[in-house]
Amino acid sequence: MAKAKLNLSRIIGKHPDFPKPGILFRDINPVYRNPAALKFIADEFSRRFSKTKFDVSAGIESRGFVVATALGMKACKGMIMIRKAGKLPGPTIKKSYDIEYGNATMELQAGAVKKGQRVLIADDLIATGGTGIAAAQLVEELGGKVAGFAIIIELAGLKGADRLREMGYKVESLVVYD
Ligand code: AMP
């Protein structure tokens, strides 16, 4: 008998006007602290990327770290942290970009990705796609190849996931909101 699919959208939290007026913040914390939901995310992404070859997963700070670690462990791969500026030691490369509520700079250690390595990028949510594009640019600048994007929540109205798809990237999202 088929098992009932876990309904992630019922578990994801919702906070109007956070962190700024006009932003409806989708809170992934209740999902991460729910063992069945966490397992569902790892299982569902490994199923969707079962035919995609990747050497390492990369998480976008900080909510993407959880997804990337789950995927990396499940596939017996390592995990790379793409961090906000100023947190990583040693030589790094940086990219600045706009987000739904402001702007940001992401950073990657220069030795984190080897030439030709296939990197699966993970985050909790995609809105305008600025963060995802910056992450892809960082990976590619080091000679890596983006194997795809594993994103829990897609805000379809902001078209970020479609921007990435139009650029030729495989994007898998588990919950889509308008
Ligand atoms: P973007 O670059 O516009 O695709 O924004 C994606 C990044 O900002 C992700 O790392 C999200 O965690 C965060 N983010 C943007 N909008 C929201 C939102 N409405 N709710 C929760 N997180 C958001």
Side-chain angles (χ1 to χ4, degrees):
M1 203 168 70
K3 242 174 85 183
K5 236 181 153 183
L6 186 135
N7 191 339
L8 270 188
S9 63
R10 282 209 197 142
I11 305 172
I12 294 166
K14 191 164 74 170
H15 298 273
D17 299 321
F18 182 86
K20 284 187 177 170
I23 300 293
L24 178 60
F25 191 86
R26 302 287 182 173
D27 184 14
I28 205 69
N29 281 286
V31 173
Y32 288 168
R33 59 179 183 248
N34 179 317
L38 197 54
K39 183 176 185 309
F40 173 79
I41 287 165
D43 291 347
E44 190 61 21
F45 279 133
S46 16
R47 189 180 67 75
R48 293 187 190 205
F49 286 101
S50 62
K51 294 197 168 70
T52 302
K53 275 175 68 179
F54 68 97
D55 302 301
V56 66
S57 64
I60 298 175
E61 184 167 2
S62 57
R63 298 182 291 269
F65 292 169
V66 178
V67 188
T69 305
L71 289 180
M73 283 186 76
K74 210 167 156 78
C76 295
K77 313 282 182 196
M79 182 270 193
I80 293 169
M81 295 193 223
I82 299 176
R83 299 207 66 179
K84 288 167 186 152
K87 309 249 177 133
L88 289 168
T92 61
I93 58 167
K94 293 187 182 63
K95 277 282 168 257
S96 294
Y97 60 98
D98 294 326
I99 55 170
E100 195 188 359
Y101 42 79
N103 56 64
T105 301
M106 282 292 167
E107 203 166 6
L108 184 56
Q109 283 180 316
V113 178
K114 313 265 174 305
K115 248 194 163 68
Q117 255 193 332
R118 296 182 57 81
V119 182
L120 182 58
I121 298 173
D123 205 355
D124 67 325
L125 180 145
I126 187 159
T128 65
T131 311
I133 291 171
Q137 286 171 339
L138 288 170
V139 166
E140 288 165 357
E141 201 173 310
L142 293 178
K145 293 207 167 25
V146 175
F149 286 86
I151 310 281
I152 302 172
I153 305 166
E154 173 179 345
L155 301 187
L158 292 168
K159 302 200 183 311
D162 284 344
R163 263 173 90 192
L164 290 174
R165 291 181 184 114
E166 278 159 22
M167 291 167 80
Y169 298 116
K170 177 179 165 75
V171 182
E172 289 289 343
S173 58
L174 305 184
V175 176
V176 180
Y177 296 119
D178 295 337

PDB file of all heavy atoms in Angstrom, residues 60-62 65 81-90 92-97 103-109 131 134 138:
ATOM      1  N   ILE A  60      23.781  27.019   1.521  1.00  0.00           N
ATOM      2  CA  ILE A  60      23.818  28.476   1.622  1.00  0.00           C
ATOM      3  C   ILE A  60      23.448  28.856   3.058  1.00  0.00           C
ATOM      4  O   ILE A  60      22.425  28.406   3.580  1.00  0.00           O
ATOM      5  CB  ILE A  60      22.845  29.110   0.592  1.00  0.00           C
ATOM      6  CG1 ILE A  60      23.283  28.740  -0.836  1.00  0.00           C
ATOM      7  CG2 ILE A  60      22.778  30.624   0.785  1.00  0.00           C
ATOM      8  CD1 ILE A  60      22.342  29.198  -1.935  1.00  0.00           C
ATOM      9  N   GLU A  61      24.298  29.680   3.691  1.00  0.00           N
ATOM     10  CA  GLU A  61      24.082  30.065   5.100  1.00  0.00           C
ATOM     11  C   GLU A  61      22.719  30.701   5.312  1.00  0.00           C
ATOM     12  O   GLU A  61      22.309  31.546   4.538  1.00  0.00           O
ATOM     13  CB  GLU A  61      25.171  31.050   5.524  1.00  0.00           C
ATOM     14  CG  GLU A  61      25.065  31.411   6.988  1.00  0.00           C
ATOM     15  CD  GLU A  61      26.305  32.131   7.523  1.00  0.00           C
ATOM     16  OE1 GLU A  61      27.243  32.385   6.765  1.00  0.00           O
ATOM     17  OE2 GLU A  61      26.291  32.425   8.723  1.00  0.00           O
ATOM     18  N   SER A  62      22.123  30.370   6.430  1.00  0.00           N
ATOM     19  CA  SER A  62      22.475  29.258   7.297  1.00  0.00           C
ATOM     20  C   SER A  62      21.470  28.115   7.165  1.00  0.00           C
ATOM     21  O   SER A  62      21.772  26.968   7.446  1.00  0.00           O
ATOM     22  CB  SER A  62      22.491  29.735   8.760  1.00  0.00           C
ATOM     23  OG  SER A  62      21.208  30.282   9.092  1.00  0.00           O
ATOM     24  N   PHE A  65      22.437  25.001   5.180  1.00  0.00           N
ATOM     25  CA  PHE A  65      23.418  24.043   5.712  1.00  0.00           C
ATOM     26  C   PHE A  65      22.741  22.713   6.079  1.00  0.00           C
ATOM     27  O   PHE A  65      23.316  21.644   5.910  1.00  0.00           O
ATOM     28  CB  PHE A  65      24.115  24.591   6.969  1.00  0.00           C
ATOM     29  CG  PHE A  65      25.025  25.771   6.727  1.00  0.00           C
ATOM     30  CD1 PHE A  65      25.529  26.495   7.807  1.00  0.00           C
ATOM     31  CD2 PHE A  65      25.409  26.153   5.455  1.00  0.00           C
ATOM     32  CE1 PHE A  65      26.380  27.573   7.611  1.00  0.00           C
ATOM     33  CE2 PHE A  65      26.255  27.233   5.244  1.00  0.00           C
ATOM     34  CZ  PHE A  65      26.740  27.947   6.327  1.00  0.00           C
ATOM     35  N   MET A  81      30.308  24.962   2.837  1.00  0.00           N
ATOM     36  CA  MET A  81      29.504  26.070   3.346  1.00  0.00           C
ATOM     37  C   MET A  81      29.726  27.318   2.499  1.00  0.00           C
ATOM     38  O   MET A  81      30.857  27.793   2.392  1.00  0.00           O
ATOM     39  CB  MET A  81      29.892  26.386   4.782  1.00  0.00           C
ATOM     40  CG  MET A  81      29.584  25.283   5.746  1.00  0.00           C
ATOM     41  SD  MET A  81      29.721  25.933   7.422  1.00  0.00           S
ATOM     42  CE  MET A  81      30.585  24.606   8.197  1.00  0.00           C
ATOM     43  N   ILE A  82      28.635  27.831   1.934  1.00  0.00           N
ATOM     44  CA  ILE A  82      28.668  29.137   1.261  1.00  0.00           C
ATOM     45  C   ILE A  82      28.146  30.121   2.312  1.00  0.00           C
ATOM     46  O   ILE A  82      26.990  30.021   2.736  1.00  0.00           O
ATOM     47  CB  ILE A  82      27.782  29.132  -0.007  1.00  0.00           C
ATOM     48  CG1 ILE A  82      28.312  28.080  -1.000  1.00  0.00           C
ATOM     49  CG2 ILE A  82      27.763  30.524  -0.639  1.00  0.00           C
ATOM     50  CD1 ILE A  82      27.461  27.903  -2.247  1.00  0.00           C
ATOM     51  N   ARG A  83      29.052  31.027   2.776  1.00  0.00           N
ATOM     52  CA  ARG A  83      28.721  31.814   3.956  1.00  0.00           C
ATOM     53  C   ARG A  83      28.574  33.303   3.679  1.00  0.00           C
ATOM     54  O   ARG A  83      29.033  33.808   2.663  1.00  0.00           O
ATOM     55  CB  ARG A  83      29.802  31.608   5.034  1.00  0.00           C
ATOM     56  CG  ARG A  83      29.925  30.162   5.479  1.00  0.00           C
ATOM     57  CD  ARG A  83      30.446  30.048   6.878  1.00  0.00           C
ATOM     58  NE  ARG A  83      29.501  30.597   7.846  1.00  0.00           N
ATOM     59  CZ  ARG A  83      29.701  30.608   9.156  1.00  0.00           C
ATOM     60  NH1 ARG A  83      30.828  30.107   9.654  1.00  0.00           N
ATOM     61  NH2 ARG A  83      28.810  31.114   9.972  1.00  0.00           N
ATOM     62  N   LYS A  84      27.931  33.979   4.622  1.00  0.00           N
ATOM     63  CA  LYS A  84      27.862  35.439   4.562  1.00  0.00           C
ATOM     64  C   LYS A  84      29.270  35.984   4.753  1.00  0.00           C
ATOM     65  O   LYS A  84      30.104  35.337   5.409  1.00  0.00           O
ATOM     66  CB  LYS A  84      26.925  35.950   5.659  1.00  0.00           C
ATOM     67  CG  LYS A  84      25.479  35.623   5.291  1.00  0.00           C
ATOM     68  CD  LYS A  84      24.514  35.789   6.431  1.00  0.00           C
ATOM     69  CE  LYS A  84      23.148  35.294   6.000  1.00  0.00           C
ATOM     70  NZ  LYS A  84      22.335  34.809   7.108  1.00  0.00           N
ATOM     71  N   ALA A  85      29.506  37.164   4.215  1.00  0.00           N
ATOM     72  CA  ALA A  85      30.853  37.744   4.200  1.00  0.00           C
ATOM     73  C   ALA A  85      31.467  37.836   5.599  1.00  0.00           C
ATOM     74  O   ALA A  85      30.780  38.148   6.571  1.00  0.00           O
ATOM     75  CB  ALA A  85      30.805  39.118   3.571  1.00  0.00           C
ATOM     76  N   GLY A  86      32.742  37.539   5.688  1.00  0.00           N
ATOM     77  CA  GLY A  86      33.499  37.753   6.920  1.00  0.00           C
ATOM     78  C   GLY A  86      33.537  36.580   7.879  1.00  0.00           C
ATOM     79  O   GLY A  86      34.058  36.701   8.985  1.00  0.00           O
ATOM     80  N   LYS A  87      32.987  35.429   7.491  1.00  0.00           N
ATOM     81  CA  LYS A  87      32.926  34.293   8.430  1.00  0.00           C
ATOM     82  C   LYS A  87      33.921  33.194   8.101  1.00  0.00           C
ATOM     83  O   LYS A  87      34.147  32.315   8.935  1.00  0.00           O
ATOM     84  CB  LYS A  87      31.520  33.690   8.413  1.00  0.00           C
ATOM     85  CG  LYS A  87      30.408  34.686   8.601  1.00  0.00           C
ATOM     86  CD  LYS A  87      29.744  34.499   9.932  1.00  0.00           C
ATOM     87  CE  LYS A  87      28.671  35.530  10.172  1.00  0.00           C
ATOM     88  NZ  LYS A  87      27.459  34.984  10.650  1.00  0.00           N
ATOM     89  N   LEU A  88      34.469  33.209   6.886  1.00  0.00           N
ATOM     90  CA  LEU A  88      35.341  32.098   6.484  1.00  0.00           C
ATOM     91  C   LEU A  88      36.811  32.503   6.529  1.00  0.00           C
ATOM     92  O   LEU A  88      37.181  33.548   5.996  1.00  0.00           O
ATOM     93  CB  LEU A  88      34.993  31.643   5.059  1.00  0.00           C
ATOM     94  CG  LEU A  88      33.671  30.897   4.885  1.00  0.00           C
ATOM     95  CD1 LEU A  88      33.334  30.776   3.405  1.00  0.00           C
ATOM     96  CD2 LEU A  88      33.733  29.518   5.532  1.00  0.00           C
ATOM     97  N   PRO A  89      37.660  31.674   7.143  1.00  0.00           N
ATOM     98  CA  PRO A  89      39.095  32.000   7.204  1.00  0.00           C
ATOM     99  C   PRO A  89      39.822  31.640   5.910  1.00  0.00           C
ATOM    100  O   PRO A  89      39.304  30.864   5.098  1.00  0.00           O
ATOM    101  CB  PRO A  89      39.587  31.100   8.347  1.00  0.00           C
ATOM    102  CG  PRO A  89      38.680  29.915   8.289  1.00  0.00           C
ATOM    103  CD  PRO A  89      37.343  30.406   7.819  1.00  0.00           C
ATOM    104  N   GLY A  90      41.002  32.214   5.751  1.00  0.00           N
ATOM    105  CA  GLY A  90      41.847  31.889   4.599  1.00  0.00           C
ATOM    106  C   GLY A  90      41.403  32.625   3.349  1.00  0.00           C
ATOM    107  O   GLY A  90      40.471  33.431   3.390  1.00  0.00           O
ATOM    108  N   THR A  92      39.505  33.644   0.148  1.00  0.00           N
ATOM    109  CA  THR A  92      38.105  33.414  -0.246  1.00  0.00           C
ATOM    110  C   THR A  92      37.783  34.204  -1.518  1.00  0.00           C
ATOM    111  O   THR A  92      38.529  35.098  -1.895  1.00  0.00           O
ATOM    112  CB  THR A  92      37.125  33.892   0.848  1.00  0.00           C
ATOM    113  OG1 THR A  92      37.315  35.291   1.037  1.00  0.00           O
ATOM    114  CG2 THR A  92      37.310  33.162   2.155  1.00  0.00           C
ATOM    115  N   ILE A  93      36.653  33.855  -2.131  1.00  0.00           N
ATOM    116  CA  ILE A  93      36.105  34.685  -3.205  1.00  0.00           C
ATOM    117  C   ILE A  93      34.710  35.149  -2.761  1.00  0.00           C
ATOM    118  O   ILE A  93      34.063  34.473  -1.960  1.00  0.00           O
ATOM    119  CB  ILE A  93      36.049  33.939  -4.565  1.00  0.00           C
ATOM    120  CG1 ILE A  93      35.205  32.651  -4.464  1.00  0.00           C
ATOM    121  CG2 ILE A  93      37.452  33.619  -5.072  1.00  0.00           C
ATOM    122  CD1 ILE A  93      34.861  32.043  -5.820  1.00  0.00           C
ATOM    123  N   LYS A  94      34.275  36.312  -3.284  1.00  0.00           N
ATOM    124  CA  LYS A  94      33.011  36.924  -2.813  1.00  0.00           C
ATOM    125  C   LYS A  94      32.104  37.300  -3.973  1.00  0.00           C
ATOM    126  O   LYS A  94      32.584  37.584  -5.061  1.00  0.00           O
ATOM    127  CB  LYS A  94      33.330  38.231  -2.081  1.00  0.00           C
ATOM    128  CG  LYS A  94      34.070  38.116  -0.777  1.00  0.00           C
ATOM    129  CD  LYS A  94      34.122  39.511  -0.138  1.00  0.00           C
ATOM    130  CE  LYS A  94      34.888  39.536   1.163  1.00  0.00           C
ATOM    131  NZ  LYS A  94      36.290  39.192   1.088  1.00  0.00           N
ATOM    132  N   LYS A  95      30.789  37.326  -3.699  1.00  0.00           N
ATOM    133  CA  LYS A  95      29.802  37.837  -4.664  1.00  0.00           C
ATOM    134  C   LYS A  95      28.741  38.618  -3.907  1.00  0.00           C
ATOM    135  O   LYS A  95      28.196  38.133  -2.917  1.00  0.00           O
ATOM    136  CB  LYS A  95      29.058  36.681  -5.355  1.00  0.00           C
ATOM    137  CG  LYS A  95      29.743  36.057  -6.528  1.00  0.00           C
ATOM    138  CD  LYS A  95      29.639  36.859  -7.802  1.00  0.00           C
ATOM    139  CE  LYS A  95      30.584  36.301  -8.819  1.00  0.00           C
ATOM    140  NZ  LYS A  95      31.793  36.903  -9.131  1.00  0.00           N
ATOM    141  N   SER A  96      28.424  39.825  -4.405  1.00  0.00           N
ATOM    142  CA  SER A  96      27.337  40.619  -3.812  1.00  0.00           C
ATOM    143  C   SER A  96      26.121  40.539  -4.724  1.00  0.00           C
ATOM    144  O   SER A  96      26.251  40.387  -5.928  1.00  0.00           O
ATOM    145  CB  SER A  96      27.762  42.071  -3.674  1.00  0.00           C
ATOM    146  OG  SER A  96      28.814  42.142  -2.742  1.00  0.00           O
ATOM    147  N   TYR A  97      24.940  40.650  -4.146  1.00  0.00           N
ATOM    148  CA  TYR A  97      23.705  40.483  -4.915  1.00  0.00           C
ATOM    149  C   TYR A  97      22.531  41.056  -4.117  1.00  0.00           C
ATOM    150  O   TYR A  97      22.659  41.319  -2.921  1.00  0.00           O
ATOM    151  CB  TYR A  97      23.467  38.988  -5.212  1.00  0.00           C
ATOM    152  CG  TYR A  97      23.334  38.179  -3.952  1.00  0.00           C
ATOM    153  CD1 TYR A  97      22.078  37.855  -3.455  1.00  0.00           C
ATOM    154  CD2 TYR A  97      24.450  37.798  -3.227  1.00  0.00           C
ATOM    155  CE1 TYR A  97      21.948  37.172  -2.263  1.00  0.00           C
ATOM    156  CE2 TYR A  97      24.326  37.118  -2.034  1.00  0.00           C
ATOM    157  CZ  TYR A  97      23.078  36.802  -1.566  1.00  0.00           C
ATOM    158  OH  TYR A  97      22.953  36.143  -0.380  1.00  0.00           O
ATOM    159  N   ASN A 103      20.267  43.616   0.513  1.00  0.00           N
ATOM    160  CA  ASN A 103      21.331  43.017  -0.297  1.00  0.00           C
ATOM    161  C   ASN A 103      22.319  42.297   0.607  1.00  0.00           C
ATOM    162  O   ASN A 103      22.297  42.475   1.822  1.00  0.00           O
ATOM    163  CB  ASN A 103      22.009  44.054  -1.202  1.00  0.00           C
ATOM    164  CG  ASN A 103      22.539  45.210  -0.405  1.00  0.00           C
ATOM    165  OD1 ASN A 103      23.437  45.035   0.409  1.00  0.00           O
ATOM    166  ND2 ASN A 103      21.967  46.380  -0.614  1.00  0.00           N
ATOM    167  N   ALA A 104      23.148  41.479  -0.003  1.00  0.00           N
ATOM    168  CA  ALA A 104      24.025  40.610   0.778  1.00  0.00           C
ATOM    169  C   ALA A 104      25.274  40.250  -0.025  1.00  0.00           C
ATOM    170  O   ALA A 104      25.305  40.447  -1.239  1.00  0.00           O
ATOM    171  CB  ALA A 104      23.270  39.341   1.139  1.00  0.00           C
ATOM    172  N   THR A 105      26.264  39.737   0.698  1.00  0.00           N
ATOM    173  CA  THR A 105      27.474  39.237   0.040  1.00  0.00           C
ATOM    174  C   THR A 105      27.718  37.819   0.528  1.00  0.00           C
ATOM    175  O   THR A 105      27.628  37.546   1.719  1.00  0.00           O
ATOM    176  CB  THR A 105      28.694  40.119   0.387  1.00  0.00           C
ATOM    177  OG1 THR A 105      28.408  41.451  -0.037  1.00  0.00           O
ATOM    178  CG2 THR A 105      29.955  39.633  -0.313  1.00  0.00           C
ATOM    179  N   MET A 106      27.981  36.920  -0.399  1.00  0.00           N
ATOM    180  CA  MET A 106      28.283  35.531  -0.056  1.00  0.00           C
ATOM    181  C   MET A 106      29.741  35.238  -0.351  1.00  0.00           C
ATOM    182  O   MET A 106      30.331  35.838  -1.256  1.00  0.00           O
ATOM    183  CB  MET A 106      27.408  34.583  -0.878  1.00  0.00           C
ATOM    184  CG  MET A 106      26.012  34.472  -0.369  1.00  0.00           C
ATOM    185  SD  MET A 106      26.004  33.629   1.225  1.00  0.00           S
ATOM    186  CE  MET A 106      24.344  33.984   1.756  1.00  0.00           C
ATOM    187  N   GLU A 107      30.303  34.303   0.383  1.00  0.00           N
ATOM    188  CA  GLU A 107      31.723  34.027   0.289  1.00  0.00           C
ATOM    189  C   GLU A 107      31.974  32.515   0.287  1.00  0.00           C
ATOM    190  O   GLU A 107      31.203  31.750   0.880  1.00  0.00           O
ATOM    191  CB  GLU A 107      32.384  34.659   1.526  1.00  0.00           C
ATOM    192  CG  GLU A 107      33.832  34.953   1.381  1.00  0.00           C
ATOM    193  CD  GLU A 107      34.325  35.880   2.491  1.00  0.00           C
ATOM    194  OE1 GLU A 107      33.569  36.196   3.442  1.00  0.00           O
ATOM    195  OE2 GLU A 107      35.502  36.273   2.411  1.00  0.00           O
ATOM    196  N   LEU A 108      33.031  32.125  -0.401  1.00  0.00           N
ATOM    197  CA  LEU A 108      33.393  30.706  -0.494  1.00  0.00           C
ATOM    198  C   LEU A 108      34.906  30.598  -0.350  1.00  0.00           C
ATOM    199  O   LEU A 108      35.643  31.422  -0.917  1.00  0.00           O
ATOM    200  CB  LEU A 108      32.929  30.202  -1.871  1.00  0.00           C
ATOM    201  CG  LEU A 108      33.081  28.736  -2.245  1.00  0.00           C
ATOM    202  CD1 LEU A 108      32.408  27.823  -1.240  1.00  0.00           C
ATOM    203  CD2 LEU A 108      32.469  28.494  -3.631  1.00  0.00           C
ATOM    204  N   GLN A 109      35.387  29.589   0.376  1.00  0.00           N
ATOM    205  CA  GLN A 109      36.836  29.400   0.496  1.00  0.00           C
ATOM    206  C   GLN A 109      37.403  29.019  -0.871  1.00  0.00           C
ATOM    207  O   GLN A 109      36.835  28.163  -1.569  1.00  0.00           O
ATOM    208  CB  GLN A 109      37.148  28.311   1.522  1.00  0.00           C
ATOM    209  CG  GLN A 109      36.993  28.829   2.946  1.00  0.00           C
ATOM    210  CD  GLN A 109      37.296  27.788   3.998  1.00  0.00           C
ATOM    211  OE1 GLN A 109      36.863  26.643   3.865  1.00  0.00           O
ATOM    212  NE2 GLN A 109      37.988  28.180   5.039  1.00  0.00           N
ATOM    213  N   THR A 131      20.351  34.968  -4.531  1.00  0.00           N
ATOM    214  CA  THR A 131      21.273  34.183  -3.708  1.00  0.00           C
ATOM    215  C   THR A 131      21.756  32.949  -4.464  1.00  0.00           C
ATOM    216  O   THR A 131      22.943  32.627  -4.452  1.00  0.00           O
ATOM    217  CB  THR A 131      20.568  33.722  -2.406  1.00  0.00           C
ATOM    218  OG1 THR A 131      19.929  34.849  -1.816  1.00  0.00           O
ATOM    219  CG2 THR A 131      21.551  33.120  -1.428  1.00  0.00           C
ATOM    220  N   ALA A 134      24.234  33.912  -7.173  1.00  0.00           N
ATOM    221  CA  ALA A 134      25.540  34.236  -6.577  1.00  0.00           C
ATOM    222  C   ALA A 134      26.270  32.953  -6.174  1.00  0.00           C
ATOM    223  O   ALA A 134      27.478  32.813  -6.409  1.00  0.00           O
ATOM    224  CB  ALA A 134      25.352  35.143  -5.364  1.00  0.00           C
ATOM    225  N   LEU A 138      29.894  31.622  -7.638  1.00  0.00           N
ATOM    226  CA  LEU A 138      31.050  31.317  -6.784  1.00  0.00           C
ATOM    227  C   LEU A 138      31.624  29.942  -7.143  1.00  0.00           C
ATOM    228  O   LEU A 138      32.835  29.781  -7.297  1.00  0.00           O
ATOM    229  CB  LEU A 138      30.648  31.356  -5.305  1.00  0.00           C
ATOM    230  CG  LEU A 138      30.383  32.741  -4.710  1.00  0.00           C
ATOM    231  CD1 LEU A 138      29.753  32.621  -3.326  1.00  0.00           C
ATOM    232  CD2 LEU A 138      31.665  33.561  -4.618  1.00  0.00           C
TER     233      LEU A 138
END
